Amino acid sequence: YALAGNLALNCLANVTCENVALSDRSGFVRVPHLDLNAANNIGGLSMDPGRTGPAGYDVRAETLDEYAERNRITRLDLLKIDVEGME
């Protein structure tokens, strides 16, 4: 929601927000709930591909190839990856 709000505030109509994780396989990952009243390291948040970890919400995961095909992306000039410990 914060990203979508930032895009709207800055009139960036050429960007699409999607709640999807890119992974080495299709499926789901669990994103843990955060206590927004506590200090958090959102950049270091760990996703749980096995969905066995703490309570959270599940996000659809797909491979980059699947994502590109679904969005009809035929060319990719730059890909920035920020994995924060998900290597």
Side-chain angles (χ1 to χ4, degrees):
Y1 294 118
L3 176 59
N6 251 324
L7 296 175
L9 287 172
N10 290 286
C11 300
L12 296 174
N14 64 337
V15 178
T16 303
C17 292
E18 290 192 49
N19 196 17
V20 62
L22 291 182
S23 180
D24 61 338
R25 60 187 172 276
S26 298
F28 289 87
V29 296
R30 173 145 312 144
V31 179
H33 290 295
L34 291 177
D35 178 359
L36 299 179
N37 294 314
N40 290 292
N41 177 5
I42 295 173
L45 188 66
S46 179
M47 309 298 170
D48 180 10
R51 299 189 304 177
T52 58
Y57 60 96
D58 293 338
V59 173
R60 179 175 45 88
E62 61 188 7
T63 67
L64 180 58
D65 289 341
E66 291 166 339
Y67 181 85
E69 182 177 341
R70 181 171 59 82
N71 289 283
R72 296 187 196 105
I73 298 171
T74 59
R75 178 180 168 159
L76 185 62
D77 293 322
L78 175 70
L79 177 64
K80 182 191 182 302
I81 300 174
D82 187 359
V83 295
E84 292 289 342
M86 292 295 292
E87 295 88 348

